[in-house]
Amino acid sequence: MTELRTPRLRLHPIDTAEGERIVGRRAGAGDDWAEDFPFDGDILGVRGFLAATAAYGDRRPFGHYRITRTADGKAIGGIGFKGKSENGRTEVGYGLAPSARGNGYAAEALAALLDLATAHGLSRIVAETTGDNVASRRTLERAGFRHTGTNDDLYQYEVLLGTPSRPARTR
């Protein structure tokens, strides 16, 4: 599986070995991480990826991606699909190291993931975030997601792929 590229980022599909290094917070040869990568959110996301891989095998391209900033080659976060696709629907999750936040990287990475999902025939992507995470809510909305409801403190979002409501990705 090849990397996804955006104007400022590379999304590299991780494998089990890289996932284990991230969870263990032990960079290996060739890993170039931002000082605050991985952060706790990365660890949770990659643990989910490792559990899904153990249960279902390699699901690429619907796995987990390391987000790398092209300007300096540093890993700054992760993004990926949660669980198996059912009836053209799946969930995504993402996170950035604190030092990389506020630059639009999450929205840029999310747009690339949505393009990938569209190219592979998915029709609906869902996501959720906590009500107090205003930055994540704005990221989802910029990527074309719409708020569909709440479940306790979780705000639920969805985007229908291949519809005019989703903004076109710009290069």
Side-chain angles (χ1 to χ4, degrees):
M1 183 75 216
T2 59
E3 291 183 331
L4 305 175
R5 294 184 180 265
T6 73
R8 301 179 300 158
L9 304 171
R10 289 188 335 263
L11 278 62
H12 172 77
I14 69 167
D15 59 16
T16 301
E18 184 172 1
E20 290 171 352
R21 289 194 310 273
I22 291 170
V23 167
R25 297 179 195 253
R26 291 181 310 272
D31 290 335
D32 196 2
W33 296 352
E35 190 172 305
D36 53 351
F37 176 86
F39 76 107
D40 292 344
D42 289 314
I43 303 300
L44 289 173
V46 174
R47 278 188 182 143
F49 160 77
L50 291 172
T53 300
Y56 305 112
D58 188 347
R59 298 173 306 124
R60 286 185 262 187
F62 300 112
H64 193 84
Y65 293 78
R66 181 192 69 233
I67 301 171
T68 300
R69 189 173 39 218
T70 56
D72 62 5
K74 300 281 187 190
I76 58 170
I79 190 167
F81 298 93
K82 296 180 176 182
K84 292 172 49 176
S85 171
E86 295 180 19
N87 299 320
R89 173 200 179 276
T90 194
E91 182 178 357
V92 295
Y94 54 88
L96 292 175
S99 66
R101 295 176 188 164
N103 296 294
Y105 295 137
E108 191 171 322
L110 186 54
L113 211 64
L114 294 178
D115 288 346
L116 175 72
T118 300
H120 283 84
L122 296 184
S123 57
R124 182 172 168 238
I125 304 295
V126 297
E128 59 186 19
T129 188
T130 56
D132 63 349
N133 193 341
V134 176
S136 185
R137 291 170 45 202
R138 287 185 181 148
T139 295
L140 290 166
E141 291 164 1
R142 278 194 304 270
F145 283 76
R146 67 181 179 85
H147 180 237
T148 59
T150 57
N151 183 6
D152 293 322
D153 187 41
L154 292 177
Y155 278 54
Q156 299 164 327
Y157 287 83
E158 77 172 359
V159 64
L160 301 177
L161 302 175
T163 65
S165 66
R166 181 172 167 242
R169 182 169 147 204
T170 57
R171 294 227 175 234

